[in-house]
Structure formats: C-alpha cells, structure tokens
Amino acid sequence: MSSSQVPAGANPKIKEMITSLDDDKIDMLAATSVLQQQATDIRTQHVNWQSYYQSQMISQEDHKFITAFDVSDSAAREKLLKTDRNQCARTFLNLLGHVSKDQTLQYILILIDDMLQEDRTRVEIFHEYAARTKESVWGPFLNLLNRQDGFITNMTARIIAKIACWAQTPMERSDLNFYLAWLKDQLKVQNNEYIQSVGRCLQMMLRIDEYRFAFVSVDGISTLLSVLSGRVNFQVQYQLIFCLWVLTFNPLLAEKMNKFNVIPFLADILSDSVKEKVTRIILAVFRNLIEKPEDSQVSKEHCIAMVQCKVLKQLTILEQRKYDDEDVSSDVEFLTEKLQSSVQDLSSFDEYATEVKSGRLEWSPVHKSKFWRENAQRLNEKNYELLRILVHLLETSKDALVLSVASFDIGEYVRHYPRGKHVIEQLGGKQLVMQLLAHEDPNVRYEALLAVQKLMVHNWEYLGKQLEKEQSGDSKAAPPISGKS
C-alpha cells in the first residue's frame, strides 16, 4: 500500500490494521466467507476452453493465452504475464464480453481475482491496455454488476475495488459514482448473503480520500447508519463502523459526521457491544471526531454530544476491563479526559442545545423553570434553530418521551418569552401541539394540554405588557422569522 492510502495520523497499530486489509490476512475469511467458500468450489470446475474455441466463441489468440494461463504453476503464469501483458488484458476482457454462461464467467472472474491477489501491480495490465486501445477499463466490469448471479456481481465488485485502489490511475467520477451507488444499494438488500463482501469493498475504497467524498455524495453515510440500526451481526457492525472510521480521517468529513447523528448511533452500539473489535473501532471513531476537525468548536460540540449520549458512563465501565489491544486502553483514557474536561466547561444552554440537536430528548436537569427563565430568549438565536428542531420533532418523532419533552419545552418557551406565542405559531408549532391532544400516550396528551394552556394564557398575561414594549421600541424583541426550514 502506498503511504498516501494510510490515513495521516494513524498510530502504528492502526496502520498495520489498515494495511492488513490489502494483505487479506486478517478477517478475510470472516469478511467474505460466502464468496470465498463458493470460489473454492468453483476453482475445482475447470473449463473446457477447447470447446469454446471449436465453436468459434473465442479466437485462436484468446484460446492460446487462456490455456497457457489457466495452470496451477504460478511461475509459469508469471513468465507468461511478463511476455504477453497486452494479450492478458485483451483475452480476459474479450471473455468477459462474449461468454454468457454463468459458470464460466464465475471461473474467469476467479482467475482474474487470483491473478491480482498474487501481485497487486498487475492491475496496471488493464490500465495499460485501456490506454493503448483508448477504451474504458471499467466498462466490461461495471456491465457485469447488472447480472442476476450474486457470485458474479460480488466477485466483479471485489475486482473493481482492487483495480480502483491498487492502480496509479484513480477511477473516473461517473464510473466511481455508479460503482459506489451499486455498493450502497447492495447494503440495503434484505438478507444479502454477500453483505460482508460488500462491506469489504467499501473498507478498501474509503481509504482513498477522493473516493470518500464521492461516497458521501451518494448518501453513503446515511446508508451505513441505516444498516447499522437494523439487525446485523458483529462482523458487519465492525466493517461498516470501520468505513465510518476511515471517513473521519478527512478533517472536513470529521466535522460534518455528527450532522448524520453518528455519535448517538455509535453510542448505542457501544453500550450493547460484547466484541472487543467493535468496541475498539467505535472508540477510534470517537477519538477522530475530537482530534481531526480543524474547528475547535466542532470538536467541543462532539465532546458534548458524547456526554449527552452517556459515553462517559460507558468509558467508566470500559476502564474496569482488560484488553488484548493496548490501543483500546489508550483511547478510553484519551476520551475520558476530553469528555470530563468538556463537562466542566459545559453551560446548561450548551447541554440543552446538544440534547435538542441529537433528537433524543429526555427529562434531564435542563428542563426546569430556572433554565427557561435564564435561557428562553436564546432559542431565538441562529434563526430559531433549536425551536425549528423542536417543532420538527413534534411532527416526525414516534417516541412518546420525545414528544412529551418537546411539548413541555415549547410551552416553557412561550411562558418565559413574551413574543413566544407568535414565534411558535409562525413556525407551525401550535397546530402540532394541538394535534397531540389526541395522542394515544397519556403523558404526551398531558404535556400537550399544558403547552396549549400556556399558549392560550399568553394571550391575556402578556398582551398589555407587550403592547407597551412594542410602543417603546423594545430592543429585545424577537428577530423576524425568515422562511421555515
């Protein structure tokens, strides 16, 4: 692997971990077990190349090359590739384009994959041929992704990943987007027996910075989280979180990552995880989310989000365990120090803002009258950002606790901020609260009723005072509301 493909700042243990992906020495059988087992069986089913030649399905040149190449002697193959590189690419691409039988295609793909696995520099054979013929190196492979046979599509995807990652020439953007979108869609296929193979392709691709941004552009992060939120085994968990981890080595992506609620997702998995490899990779993601952003404010927000998601409690539990990997203990120590430091600097408003942005509202200490007396007006900041989130939660959340707390908070905002009723009405919150009066959960109905009462009482309680303030040009009046978002 070239040094540019190892994320900058990775410690030696982590560099070894990433390099091992290329060497296929660690987790290879587990990561692609179905594909590997099937490949082992298919290798024993030799193809009668003579019959293909006699029926004029392949040319004399292709027949001559493939019969010389399809031998168990690796030294003989190496000699052949040194003297006839151009014919190698031509023959394999001709076979992929003209052979229609699934079993034969499966065998051809294994020959190509084994050839590349023996020596990764052989990926250049295809690029040299494509440059000489002025054809796309990717077309013949991408076309195979449309086949119905799962082994063919996933072995092809594996070969594409190797050519894309091991060659000097990067994958062109349109082909790259097509390939990454295909991988993303495969992750979403229900009960996909090849999902670990798909994950491995992504683990390889996302080590390369250019490919990371392309993956994000096809909504890749949301897809990873969607799959992680379902029932997947620990191996798939590890692979997909590994993908998130390598993404966070890019500072820009590390800054944007929690906009997808990555921290709450991973905090939940961390609390349930019983596998050290899964724990290790989650801690590594959290560390990057603090270390990699160039904006210190973003790092601070990530720390607060982790505190809000009870990561400190998990770290306390992890501190009591012994680990085979010393990096786990190092990350636990680092994160504990950073999160404890952020707690000391945390204002109640910071804590409240983090909770709201996480979408995981609960009856935490900030939901008290004292907080609202001191901070109600601050919800007008950033074009009512936090109020908009609360209103959005009222409209979209299915969680009774979230709906109860959001209703309470809106009522308190209205009670403690004179123009609150007007603001909430403009944001569409009043109608949503009133709809919750018919909610099936009694706690939601109760909090919605209290909020509605505060919205109504506000008309009388503050009407006279507000008229006086507006006439005197109160400097603390709410800013104008610019379009709903």
Side-chain angles (χ1 to χ4, degrees):
M1 182 196 310
S2 66
S3 59
S4 64
Q5 291 177 351
V6 178
N11 65 34
K13 189 79 173 242
I14 289 174
K15 288 182 180 178
E16 177 187 345
M17 197 165 117
I18 297 178
T19 304
S20 70
L21 278 176
D22 287 337
D23 295 336
D24 283 349
K25 292 177 182 175
I26 294 180
D27 284 334
M28 186 58 207
L29 289 176
T32 56
S33 58
V34 173
L35 200 69
Q36 290 291 76
Q37 290 166 11
Q38 291 179 346
T40 300
D41 293 338
I42 294 168
R43 282 190 187 92
T44 65
Q45 303 167 8
H46 294 294
V47 175
N48 185 348
W49 299 116
Q50 182 67 21
S51 67
Y52 275 93
Y53 173 52
Q54 290 176 339
S55 60
Q56 298 184 335
M57 295 182 68
I58 61 175
S59 68
Q60 182 178 0
E61 293 81 3
D62 290 339
H63 175 257
K64 180 182 177 182
F65 178 86
I66 196 65
T67 52
F69 183 85
D70 187 12
V71 294
S72 59
D73 187 347
S74 60
R77 287 197 302 273
E78 176 67 18
K79 182 179 178 181
L80 181 64
L81 290 174
K82 283 184 177 179
T83 58
D84 220 352
R85 288 169 68 88
N86 192 59
Q87 187 60 47
C88 172
R90 178 187 290 117
T91 294
F92 275 126
L93 294 178
N94 281 343
L95 292 175
L96 291 179
H98 294 97
V99 172
S100 58
K101 188 178 180 182
D102 281 354
Q103 285 180 305
T104 307
L105 274 176
Q106 292 170 352
Y107 189 81
I108 294 167
L109 290 169
I110 290 173
L111 288 179
I112 296 173
D113 187 63
D114 288 348
M115 176 185 76
L116 300 182
Q117 197 60 42
E118 285 180 348
D119 181 353
R120 71 187 57 185
T121 64
R122 292 173 180 171
V123 296
E124 298 299 346
I125 291 173
F126 292 101
H127 280 287
E128 291 166 9
Y129 178 78
R132 188 177 292 112
T133 59
K134 293 182 170 48
E135 296 176 2
S136 167
V137 71
W138 307 108
F141 294 105
L142 293 176
N143 286 337
L144 290 177
L145 295 179
N146 294 316
R147 301 280 296 206
Q148 294 299 309
D149 183 82
F151 181 88
I152 289 175
T153 56
N154 283 279
M155 183 55 78
T156 300
R158 174 180 161 95
I159 292 169
I160 293 172
K162 290 179 178 178
I163 299 176
C165 293
W166 294 348
Q168 298 298 314
T169 308
M171 200 171 185
E172 292 86 352
R173 190 59 184 256
S174 59
D175 293 329
L176 175 63
N177 285 347
F178 178 88
Y179 174 57
L180 291 175
W182 184 87
L183 290 175
K184 183 196 75 168
D185 290 341
Q186 293 305 300
L187 286 178
K188 296 189 290 187
V189 173
Q190 292 291 324
N191 302 317
N192 183 355
E193 63 177 334
Y194 296 101
I195 189 170
Q196 292 174 345
S197 180
V198 175
R200 170 158 166 71
C201 290
L202 284 172
Q203 282 178 276
M204 292 182 66
M205 294 293 290
L206 297 180
R207 289 180 296 107
I208 298 175
D209 214 35
E210 182 179 343
Y211 299 166
R212 292 170 184 159
F213 282 99
F215 182 67
V216 173
S217 73
V218 297
D219 202 28
I221 295 176
S222 295
T223 301
L224 292 177
L225 295 176
S226 175
V227 177
L228 284 168
S229 68
R231 289 180 173 274
V232 293
N233 63 46
F234 77 88
Q235 178 63 32
V236 175
Q237 276 188 339
Y238 172 78
Q239 289 181 273
L240 301 190
I241 298 170
F242 188 105
C243 291
L244 293 173
W245 176 59
V246 289
L247 287 171
T248 61
F249 277 94
N250 181 285
L252 287 175
L253 295 181
E255 289 184 4
K256 294 179 179 178
M257 192 64 69
N258 202 40
K259 294 186 185 299
F260 296 90
N261 271 341
V262 166
I263 290 173
F265 265 106
L266 295 189
D268 284 348
I269 295 174
L270 181 65
S271 66
D272 295 332
S273 174
V274 294
K275 291 290 182 179
E276 182 174 322
K277 63 189 293 182
V278 175
T279 297
R280 179 186 68 202
I281 201 69
I282 292 174
L283 296 178
V285 175
F286 284 167
R287 182 163 188 158
N288 273 5
L289 290 177
I290 296 173
E291 284 189 322
K292 299 305 177 186
E294 295 175 353
D295 186 340
S296 60
Q297 181 59 33
V298 172
S299 295
K300 177 185 175 184
E301 290 174 1
H302 287 170
C303 284
I304 296 171
M306 291 176 204
V307 172
Q308 184 66 42
C309 293
K310 310 293 190 295
V311 173
L312 258 178
K313 178 183 177 182
Q314 289 302 315
L315 293 173
T316 302
I317 296 171
L318 294 175
E319 280 180 325
Q320 312 305 317
R321 300 179 187 171
K322 291 184 178 180
Y323 296 97
D324 297 331
D325 186 347
E326 61 186 22
D327 290 331
V328 176
S329 299
S330 173
D331 286 346
V332 169
E333 183 179 340
F334 171 87
L335 291 168
T336 299
E337 179 185 342
K338 291 293 184 182
L339 298 195
Q340 286 180 342
S341 176
S342 72
V343 168
Q344 293 170 1
D345 298 335
L346 192 62
S347 71
S348 59
F349 186 77
D350 288 333
E351 186 178 346
Y352 178 75
T354 304
E355 182 181 323
V356 172
K357 289 177 183 178
S358 76
R360 299 184 169 204
L361 301 182
E362 56 186 70
W363 294 116
S364 56
V366 291
H367 302 279
K368 305 289 184 186
S369 293
K370 181 177 184 293
F371 170 84
W372 287 105
R373 283 196 301 272
E374 297 172 352
N375 294 286
Q377 188 169 310
R378 294 199 61 183
L379 269 70
N380 299 333
E381 295 174 1
K382 298 182 180 179
N383 191 27
Y384 304 96
E385 178 187 26
L386 297 181
L387 281 176
R388 291 179 188 275
I389 296 173
L390 287 174
V391 171
H392 180 69
L393 290 172
L394 286 180
E395 186 173 15
T396 61
S397 180
K398 305 298 183 185
D399 189 318
L401 178 59
V402 171
L403 293 173
S404 297
V405 178
S407 298
F408 173 82
D409 286 0
I410 284 176
E412 287 297 277
Y413 169 75
V414 168
R415 186 158 77 97
H416 291 280
Y417 182 68
R419 288 182 56 83
K421 175 180 180 295
H422 173 72
V423 172
I424 293 300
E425 285 183 345
Q426 289 293 103
L427 294 176
K430 180 180 178 181
Q431 180 182 358
L432 293 170
V433 172
M434 295 187 73
Q435 288 174 0
L436 293 178
L437 293 173
H439 195 275
E440 60 184 14
D441 187 278
N443 293 318
V444 175
R445 294 199 300 270
Y446 175 74
E447 295 299 340
L449 178 60
L450 291 181
V452 169
Q453 288 176 343
K454 292 169 188 174
L455 280 161
M456 299 307 180
V457 169
H458 175 76
N459 285 329
W460 306 100
E461 190 174 346
Y462 289 110
L463 183 59
K465 294 181 180 178
Q466 189 56 37
L467 287 172
E468 293 176 5
K469 287 180 180 177
E470 289 179 351
Q471 290 171 357
S472 63
D474 183 11
S475 62
K476 292 185 179 180
I481 298 175
S482 58
K484 294 183 182 180
S485 60

